[in-house]
């Protein structure tokens, strides 16, 4: 709900000029940057659970300001505070989920975070048009209280205790998460985790360490590439300018029907996604704890302003649920390959329509024959983006880094996402005016096509692997590469010696 949702239409009308209203959108991203840094520090010092609680404070204060404010500058402060809260949550949520979840359900649980993120937008679409500004503002203020209450009973991550040497506390939380009283089995499993954590903690836990230590170099490259693919394909810009896109091509109507369609589809699919398939006792218990942490994610969803966005947005909710179902069945790589190809093709179709209209200057009959392309392309983009590159990078950024730099890595990844999002949204109008609408979409499509090669050659599969196995595989590849370079150097030296 921290995004630009229907209640802000009233806010914009009451308090802001058109120039000021752009800051209402931008200040959330601006606030998320310091929020990411705070999330990194708090997750390492206070722990994952307490950081969740702290994130509610700026959100509650922001909701109170929105409810009571009568001048514009107070609302600017409120939006900045909402961004801070969102940044903290974005950092700590994926760390917590990947650390408590079993390998068989880690991908699905991690991606449902994004499903709940969008449920916040969907809630605004369902409630916003039918209640007063004050009622809706009260709802925003109440949500942080609700998610703190829901998270009171979730356990702390065992990894957090182990990194500080609190083995007994880690064992207690581990047994709660796994739903077992078998201390012997718990000690055996925890010993494997402890050994990897201890090995990781031998290195420093700073951002400098993240970018200078060769041990993390491949993971940094992978996540950086995935973040470029995730955000530079234009998701935020398309959502923000969707009204303009359809005004220049076609139109969508039927807001109420779209809301009902979105609520029914998203809710039913989510229930199926969380409960589908067999669950071991420990996995079911993890689902219960995870549900509490989901409530904090559902409140921070950016969304678009116009009724023309409702059909694509509701479909986006549904497809994110579909992605959660597929993540641990098909694997991360195959979903991202399909997603990148589909996103590229969808954006190419949209660009082709605007190229025909604005560059070729086709006649009206020709345009009428292909007027379905923008709608088909946007819907295809929403579906294919959500099942892969729109969600999986969030999961992988928490899977690929060891415990000692995980908070720093998650913070850096989220901050880069803020920068990419701002760049894409800010440059959209300028590129469109200078080079044409088709250039915008074909530029996004080019990024998606390049992403196919990046995913195929650079991104490892983490499906069905524990966090320890993921780290072992990454380090094994590094050691193999170093061994090959060493052998090559040795061979060159020997050849030089024989010549002499």
């Amino acid at each position: 709900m921290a995004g630009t949702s229907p209640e802000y239409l009233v806010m914009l009308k009451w308090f802001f000029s058109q120039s000021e209203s752009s800051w209402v959108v931008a200040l959330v991203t601006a606030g998320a940057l310091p929020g990411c840094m705070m999330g990194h520090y708090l997750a390492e010092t206070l722990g994952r659970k307490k950081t969740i609680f702290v994130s509610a404070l700026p959100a509650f204060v922001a909701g109170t300001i929105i409810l009571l404010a009568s001048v514009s500058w107070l609302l600017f402060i409120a939006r900045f505070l909402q961004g801070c809260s969102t940044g903290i949550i974005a950092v700590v949520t994926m760390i917590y989920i990947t650390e408590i979840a079993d390998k068989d359900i880690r991908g699905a649980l991690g991606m449902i975070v994004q499903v709940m993120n969008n449920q916040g937008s969907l809630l605004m679409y369902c409630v916003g048009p039918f209640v007063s500004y004050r009622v809706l503002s009260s709802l925003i203020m109440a949500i942080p209280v609700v998610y703190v209450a829901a998270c009171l009973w979730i356990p702390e991550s065992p990894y957090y205790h182990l990194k500080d040497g609190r083995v007994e506390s880690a064992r207690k939380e581990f047994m709660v998460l796994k739903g077992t009283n078998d201390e012997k089995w718990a000690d055996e499993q925890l010993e494997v985790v402890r050994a990897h954590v201890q090995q990781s903690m031998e290195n420093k836990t700073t951002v400098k360490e993240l970018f200078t230590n060769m041990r993390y170099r491949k993971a940094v490259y992978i996540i950086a590439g995935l973040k470029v693919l995730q955000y530079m394909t234009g998701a935020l810009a398309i959502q923000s300018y969707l009204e303009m896109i359809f005004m220049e091509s076609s139109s969508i109507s039927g807001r109420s029907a779209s809301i009902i369609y979105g609520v029914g589809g998203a809710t039913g699919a989510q229930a199926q996604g969380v409960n589908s398939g067999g669950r071991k006792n420990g996995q079911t218990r993890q689902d219960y704890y995870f549900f509490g942490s989901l409530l904090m994610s559902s409140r921070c969803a950016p969304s678009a302003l116009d009724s023309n966005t409702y059909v694509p947005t509701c479909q986006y909710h549904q497809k994110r649920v579909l992605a959660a179902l597929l993540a641990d069945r098909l694997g991360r790589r195959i979903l991202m390959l399909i997603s990148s190809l589909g996103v590229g093709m969808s954006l190419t179709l949209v660009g082709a329509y605007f190229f025909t209209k604005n560059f070729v200057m086709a006649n009206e009959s020709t345009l009428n024959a292909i007027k379905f392309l923008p709608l088909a392309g946007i819907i295809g983009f929403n579906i294919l983006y959500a099942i892969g590159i729109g969600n999986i990078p969030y999961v992988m950024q928490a899977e690929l880094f060891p415990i000692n730099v995980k908070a720093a890595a998650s913070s850096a990844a989220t901050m880069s996402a803020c920068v990419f999002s701002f760049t894409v949204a800010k440059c959209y109008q300028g590129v469109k005016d200078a080079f044409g609408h088709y250039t915008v979409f074909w530029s996004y499509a080019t990024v998606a096509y390049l992403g196919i090669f990046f995913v195929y050659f650079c991104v490892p599969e983490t499906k069905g692997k524990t966090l320890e196995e993921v780290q072992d595989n990454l380090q094994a590849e590094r050691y193999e590469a170093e061994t090959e370079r060493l052998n090559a150097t040795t061979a060159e030296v020997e050849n030089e010696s024989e010549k002499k």
Side-chain angles (χ1 to χ4, degrees):
M1 293 180 190
T4 51
S5 45
E7 82 277 9
Y8 287 106
L9 289 174
V10 181
M11 185 193 300
L12 295 179
K13 182 177 179 181
W14 282 1
F15 296 109
F16 301 116
S17 66
Q18 288 187 349
S19 61
E20 288 176 327
S21 64
S22 63
W23 284 102
V24 176
V25 179
L27 280 172
V28 173
T29 303
L33 289 173
C36 293
M37 292 184 281
M38 287 188 288
H40 166 213
Y41 175 77
L42 294 172
E44 290 297 293
T45 55
L46 298 182
R48 287 42 164 159
K49 181 177 179 179
K50 290 181 180 178
T51 301
I52 293 172
F53 296 157
V54 172
S55 70
L57 180 60
F60 181 80
V61 173
T64 304
I65 293 174
I66 291 172
L67 178 63
L68 302 177
S70 58
V71 292
S72 60
W73 63 268
L74 283 175
L75 293 171
F76 289 149
I77 294 175
R79 291 291 284 170
F80 186 86
L81 289 174
Q82 285 182 323
C84 289
S85 179
T86 300
I88 296 171
I89 289 175
V91 170
V92 72
T93 301
M94 291 310 305
I95 295 175
Y96 181 76
I97 296 306
T98 54
E99 289 179 351
I100 71 166
D102 282 340
K103 62 181 182 181
D104 296 330
I105 59 173
R106 188 174 64 242
L109 293 185
M111 294 178 73
I112 290 177
V113 170
Q114 299 309 311
V115 175
M116 295 298 292
N117 204 343
N118 282 274
Q119 293 295 346
S121 297
L122 192 57
L123 177 62
M124 287 294 96
Y125 288 136
C126 294
V127 176
F130 307 108
V131 299
S132 68
Y133 171 77
R134 190 166 296 278
V135 170
L136 201 54
S137 299
S138 300
L139 175 63
I140 294 174
M141 185 177 66
I143 286 178
V145 178
V146 174
Y147 82 69
V148 166
C151 293
L152 284 173
W153 54 287
I154 66 174
E156 180 58 86
S157 166
Y159 284 79
Y160 169 70
H161 288 305
L162 287 174
K163 80 179 185 67
D164 292 331
R166 296 186 295 272
V167 178
E168 186 59 33
S169 296
R171 183 161 70 96
K172 178 181 177 181
E173 303 287 17
F174 185 81
M175 293 177 67
V176 171
L177 282 167
K178 300 301 180 181
T180 181
N181 294 319
D182 189 342
E183 295 185 2
K184 181 179 179 180
W185 177 84
D187 287 339
E188 291 174 354
Q189 298 296 315
L190 200 61
E191 181 60 28
V192 176
V193 177
R194 189 194 64 79
H196 280 82
V197 170
Q198 185 176 9
Q199 182 181 5
S200 298
M201 294 307 296
E202 291 175 356
N203 298 290
K204 296 179 180 179
T205 60
T206 63
V207 176
K208 181 180 178 181
E209 175 76 7
L210 174 66
F211 290 104
T212 58
N213 193 322
M214 287 295 296
R215 181 184 181 191
Y216 316 121
R217 189 66 52 83
K218 183 174 182 179
V220 169
Y221 289 156
I222 292 170
I223 295 303
L226 290 180
K227 286 298 176 182
V228 171
L229 179 60
Q230 184 179 25
Y231 288 96
M232 299 304 287
T233 45
L236 179 61
I238 291 172
Q239 188 178 29
S240 300
Y241 290 94
L242 201 57
E243 178 183 2
M244 180 185 299
I245 295 170
F246 285 123
M247 283 177 62
E248 296 187 19
S249 57
S250 59
S251 61
I252 299 176
S253 59
R255 180 175 65 179
S256 298
S258 299
I259 295 174
I260 295 172
Y261 175 76
V263 170
T267 304
Q270 181 178 325
Q272 181 184 3
V274 174
N275 297 299
S276 63
R279 281 285 194 265
K280 299 176 183 178
N281 290 336
Q283 292 175 342
T284 303
R285 185 175 292 264
Q286 290 165 34
D287 287 341
Y288 294 155
Y289 292 128
F290 176 66
F291 176 75
S293 66
L294 281 180
L295 291 177
M296 67 183 174
S297 302
S298 65
R299 61 159 201 83
C300 53
S303 48
L305 283 171
D306 189 76
S307 61
N308 287 339
T309 68
Y310 287 177
V311 168
T313 301
C314 292
Q315 290 204 0
Y316 193 41
H317 299 333
Q318 293 175 305
K319 305 315 169 187
R320 281 194 161 183
V321 178
L322 176 62
L325 290 172
L326 297 176
D328 285 320
R329 298 186 182 184
L330 297 182
R332 280 62 151 165
R333 276 171 51 87
I334 187 64
L335 282 179
M336 285 194 289
L337 288 171
I338 294 171
S339 178
S340 298
L341 177 61
V343 164
M345 294 175 64
S346 298
L347 294 173
T348 301
L349 289 178
V350 181
Y353 173 85
F354 287 110
F355 180 81
T356 304
K357 177 183 178 181
N358 300 328
F359 187 84
V360 178
M361 300 291 186
N363 56 43
E364 187 174 348
S365 61
T366 301
L367 292 177
N368 286 334
I370 61 172
K371 68 179 181 180
F372 68 92
L373 287 180
L375 178 59
I378 293 299
I379 292 177
F381 172 84
N382 281 332
I383 294 171
L384 292 158
Y385 180 82
I387 68 170
I389 61 176
N391 295 283
I392 293 176
Y394 292 114
V395 178
M396 298 199 73
Q397 76 184 42
E399 290 180 327
L400 295 182
F401 292 99
I403 183 68
N404 64 308
V405 294
K406 185 171 291 187
S410 184
S411 177
T414 306
M415 292 175 68
S416 69
C418 295
V419 174
F420 292 145
S421 296
F422 177 83
T423 301
V424 167
K426 187 67 175 176
C427 293
Y428 178 96
Q429 190 65 45
V431 175
K432 172 184 174 294
D433 293 340
F435 303 104
H437 225 152
Y438 57 90
T439 305
V440 174
F441 287 99
W442 284 351
S443 298
Y444 297 156
T446 300
V447 175
Y449 291 135
L450 293 175
I452 297 173
F453 297 98
F454 176 77
V455 171
Y456 184 82
F457 290 107
C458 301
V459 179
E461 181 58 75
T462 59
K463 169 194 171 186
K465 295 182 175 68
T466 65
L467 297 180
E468 293 72 35
E469 290 170 342
V470 171
Q471 291 304 311
D472 288 343
N473 291 342
L474 283 175
Q475 298 312 310
E477 293 178 6
R478 182 171 70 89
Y479 292 145
E480 289 177 3
E482 290 180 353
T483 301
E484 290 178 0
R485 287 195 295 268
L486 181 61
N487 291 338
T489 302
T490 302
E492 291 179 2
V493 172
E494 291 176 353
N495 290 334
E496 292 292 333
S497 299
E498 291 176 358
K499 291 180 181 179
K500 293 180 180 180

